[in-house]
Amino acid sequence: MLPSDPEKKLSFARCIKDGDLVIVYEKHDTMKAVKVCENSVLQNRFGLFKHSDWIGKPFGSKVFGNKGGFVYVLAPTPELWTLVLSHRTQILYIADISFVIMYLEIVPGCLVLESGTGSGSLTTSLVRAVAPTGHVYTFDFHEQRAASAREDFGRTGVSSLVTVGVRDIQGQGFPDEYSGLADAIFLDLPQPWLAIPSAGKMLKEDGVLCSFSPCIEQVQRSCETLRSQFTDIRTFEALLRSYEVHEWKMDSSQDEGACVGSPPCKRKQQSGARSGSQGSTASTTVMARPCGEARGHTGYLTFARLRCLS
């Protein structure tokens, strides 16, 4: 039932081909997903770029436009795909995704159940974690959202490792065919406590469940339900703080009392002093400071391990 063909490995260690999906990187906050088509062009503020010039180049290449400007054509890794995908629902970002994969103990070969699929941000990372011999079965009650996610997985080349189903997991539970087979389960539902009894039946002995909820009231009710079947119940909030790193030119006359993490202040020239005078030497320093805009609370992650009956 699970794919074992080595050709189905999730790998971008090859050259770009006609029909591939690439991430066009202009700068750290400007990226877009583009399907390579030999006769197409991309036009942006850096110039006009022919897709035909990309074909045959390795992922990660720097490509130039007609005006001398350049962009990078990158592989659609789960991290980059999370930054450019269409937001059909609220998505999980890198901090939460990393935490989920670690605490769910997901490794190649695992069978993972997920509900709901949403925009597929987490699903893509789950697929990479279980590849090449595992599989992710993801469910969403919204038929159009499921269809859009299925299409996206095809574009990113992971469709052989993920199956998208349309099902109301809160009302119907997971399909019985997965009973006792799941290594891990992830829930992103408004009322996760309704799906927890079914999730317990799907997990292997000692399997792990994670529920993502934006509100603490949802967490409290979920924990009450988890206590009947699960143990080692823990809740986390993952907050990521990014820093901006800049290189600054400064000289020996720079004020020592300048604030750390701020651009060095230009010292007023002394009367009669000339640039490049003896005793003043230019140097370069790298400074880091917190980003002005940082994502705050996204949600709470509640983990629990299925209680062994023996």
Side-chain angles (χ1 to χ4, degrees):
M1 181 167 61
L2 302 182
S4 57
D5 186 347
E7 294 299 319
K8 294 182 178 179
K9 286 186 178 182
L10 182 59
S11 173
F12 301 109
R14 57 176 177 79
C15 293
I16 297 169
K17 298 183 298 186
D18 187 20
D20 278 347
L21 181 76
V22 300
I23 306 297
V24 177
Y25 179 101
E26 297 179 8
K27 58 180 185 176
H28 76 279
D29 58 351
T30 308
M31 290 177 277
K32 64 185 69 174
V34 176
K35 183 177 180 180
V36 178
C37 183
E38 188 170 3
N39 300 318
S40 296
V41 297
L42 169 71
Q43 190 164 4
N44 59 22
R45 58 183 178 150
F46 299 110
L48 185 145
F49 299 84
K50 295 181 180 179
H51 289 200
S52 56
D53 293 339
W54 305 350
I55 297 173
K57 288 185 173 8
F59 282 105
S61 295
K62 182 179 183 179
V63 295
F64 291 87
N66 63 333
K67 296 180 180 179
F70 64 87
V71 297
Y72 293 93
V73 282
L74 308 178
T77 63
E79 291 81 6
L80 291 177
W81 182 244
T82 291
L83 299 177
V84 301
L85 59 75
S86 299
H87 288 202
R88 295 179 288 272
T89 60
Q90 177 187 351
I91 70 168
L92 270 69
Y93 289 97
I94 292 173
D96 288 323
I97 291 172
S98 304
F99 213 100
V100 167
I101 290 175
M102 183 188 76
Y103 260 83
L104 284 182
E105 302 171 2
I106 298 174
V107 296
C110 280
L111 187 154
V112 179
L113 301 181
E114 179 193 25
S115 181
T117 311
S119 298
S121 170
L122 173 66
T123 316
T124 308
S125 291
L126 292 175
V127 166
R128 183 176 61 180
V130 305
T133 56
H135 204 83
V136 177
Y137 295 89
T138 182
F139 301 89
D140 201 293
F141 76 93
H142 193 281
E143 189 168 348
Q144 184 55 51
R145 254 198 324 250
S148 297
R150 196 178 293 114
E151 182 180 340
D152 282 348
F153 298 145
R155 294 173 66 199
T156 53
V158 302
S159 55
S160 64
L161 296 168
V162 58
T163 300
V164 184
V166 179
R167 187 178 177 92
D168 177 13
I169 299 299
Q170 286 187 170
Q172 301 173 272
F174 288 98
D176 290 338
E177 62 190 278
Y178 306 116
S179 181
L181 297 178
D183 295 283
I185 293 178
F186 179 82
L187 303 176
D188 184 358
L189 301 169
Q191 297 177 295
W193 52 89
L194 297 178
I196 287 172
S198 171
K201 296 176 183 177
M202 300 300 115
L203 284 169
K204 293 179 180 178
E205 189 173 291
D206 204 38
V208 185
L209 173 145
C210 175
S211 175
F212 174 86
S213 297
C215 302
I216 197 65
E217 292 80 8
Q218 294 168 299
V219 173
Q220 291 169 334
R221 189 158 179 183
S222 296
C223 289
E224 291 174 1
T225 306
L226 285 167
R227 291 174 63 185
S228 63
Q229 291 178 277
F230 292 80
T231 185
D232 195 21
I233 302 170
R234 306 183 185 196
T235 296
F236 301 90
E237 182 182 21
L239 300 177
L240 180 66
R241 189 180 191 187
S242 300
Y243 276 71
E244 296 173 346
V245 180
H246 296 285
E247 185 179 276
W248 297 99
K249 298 285 186 181
M250 60 188 302
D251 57 47
S252 59
S253 64
Q254 181 69 41
D255 286 332
E256 292 183 1
C259 296
V260 176
S262 301
C265 300
K266 292 182 179 179
R267 186 172 183 176
K268 294 182 179 179
Q269 291 184 343
Q270 301 293 334
S271 58
R274 290 179 301 175
S275 175
S277 59
Q278 187 174 4
S280 177
T281 57
S283 63
T284 301
T285 185
V286 176
M287 306 184 74
R289 59 180 176 181
C291 293
E293 295 182 4
R295 290 190 181 92
H297 172 77
T298 55
Y300 300 102
L301 297 169
T302 298
F303 296 87
R305 188 177 298 276
L306 186 66
R307 184 181 292 121
C308 297
L309 299 178
S310 55

